[in-house]
Amino acid sequence: MPVLKERADRVFHALGDPTRRAIVDRLSLGPMSVTRLAEPLEITVTAVVQHLQILEESGLVRTEKVGRVRTCHIESSGFSILDQWIREHRSMWERRFDRLGELLAEDEA
Amino acid sequence: MPVLKERADRVFHALGDPTRRAIVDRLSLGPMSVTRLAEPLEITVTAVVQHLQILEESGLVRTEKVGRVRTCHIESSGFSILDQWIREHRSMWERRFDRLGELLAEDEA
């Protein structure tokens, strides 16, 4: 749980920023170079690189450099963390509802 | 899709803040009053109320006032938006892999 919490913190921090969500949106359609990624975002390549670093640390994106070109890809592990975070929270309140159901059943018995 | 985007933007904005994630963590264990919610967070009740407003707008929390006490509950619709956002992005890159598979199969034929 503490490890999930730390990893989820990084994913939510990464996705809390609209520019980083726009990067994830575009990369979901296919890998692309940092320069191409920067074009419609109207920010400098340096700013994109900083956002990419945060996205890489959270496991949502990976980049690889071949020659002079750095290509960015979507990475599934950050999405799995999000999935796990949702499931974990859902199971907490579902357990609570189960307990409530048991108490009500006891009252009826 | 634009509606999902707007709603997902609100959820990610809400969960991008560590205090708001802490509020969601606590409410997943059970409903509680604003005053009790504020205690371990070491912030003022006014600050908690402001965070709650953002969480309510994103569909992650609902509050109800009975007499002088406002009670906060977890709300599932924000979690469903997150789920949908993950599924939508996954399906984008899965479709891409399917197309890639088709192209490779054509090459082999």
Side-chain angles (χ1 to χ4, degrees):
Chain A
M1 181 70 178
V3 176
L4 170 66
K5 199 195 165 301
E6 268 173 42
R7 295 186 67 188
D9 278 350
R10 273 203 285 270
V11 174
F12 282 120
H13 169 67
L15 292 174
D17 179 90
T19 305
R20 289 195 286 269
R21 286 199 300 280
I23 292 176
V24 169
D25 284 348
R26 292 193 70 210
L27 292 181
S28 292
L29 300 169
M32 67 185 75
S33 71
V34 176
T35 323
R36 222 183 112 205
L37 197 56
E39 280 166 16
L41 297 173
E42 295 179 351
I43 52 174
T44 62
V45 170
T46 314
V48 172
V49 169
Q50 284 167 348
H51 283 307
L52 284 171
Q53 205 174 338
I54 293 171
L55 287 166
E56 277 192 276
E57 282 162 6
S58 70
L60 290 157
V61 165
R62 68 185 165 83
T63 70
E64 55 179 359
K65 199 165 183 177
V66 177
R68 293 170 61 95
V69 178
R70 182 171 292 280
T71 307
C72 314
H73 307 252
I74 208 86
E75 168 71 31
S76 69
S77 71
F79 288 79
S80 303
I81 293 294
L82 265 186
D83 244 349
Q84 217 177 318
W85 186 90
I86 296 172
R87 276 205 311 274
E88 194 129 338
H89 281 75
R90 278 221 170 109
S91 76
M92 282 196 265
W93 81 71
E94 274 161 11
R95 270 199 300 273
R96 190 155 53 79
F97 279 121
D98 287 348
R99 279 203 306 275
L100 193 65
E102 282 165 24
L103 285 171
L104 291 173
E106 278 172 24
D107 270 1
E108 280 166 14
Chain B
M1 179 72 178
V3 176
L4 171 66
K5 199 194 166 303
E6 267 172 44
R7 296 185 67 187
D9 279 350
R10 273 203 285 270
V11 173
F12 282 121
H13 169 66
L15 292 174
D17 179 89
T19 304
R20 289 195 287 268
R21 286 198 299 281
I23 291 176
V24 169
D25 284 349
R26 292 193 71 207
L27 292 180
S28 292
L29 300 169
M32 68 185 73
S33 71
V34 176
T35 324
R36 221 183 113 206
L37 197 57
E39 279 166 18
L41 296 173
E42 294 178 352
I43 52 174
T44 62
V45 171
T46 314
V48 172
V49 169
Q50 283 166 349
H51 284 306
L52 284 170
Q53 204 174 337
I54 294 171
L55 287 166
E56 278 193 275
E57 282 162 7
S58 70
L60 290 157
V61 164
R62 67 184 167 82
T63 71
E64 54 179 359
K65 199 165 183 177
V66 177
R68 292 170 60 98
V69 178
R70 181 171 292 280
T71 306
C72 315
H73 307 252
I74 209 83
E75 168 70 33
S76 69
S77 70
F79 288 79
S80 303
I81 292 295
L82 264 187
D83 242 350
Q84 217 177 320
W85 186 91
I86 296 172
R87 275 205 311 275
E88 194 129 337
H89 281 75
R90 279 222 169 107
S91 77
M92 281 197 265
W93 80 74
E94 274 161 11
R95 271 200 299 273
R96 190 156 51 77
F97 279 122
D98 287 347
R99 279 203 306 276
L100 193 66
E102 283 166 23
L103 284 171
L104 291 172
E106 278 172 25
D107 270 359
E108 280 167 16

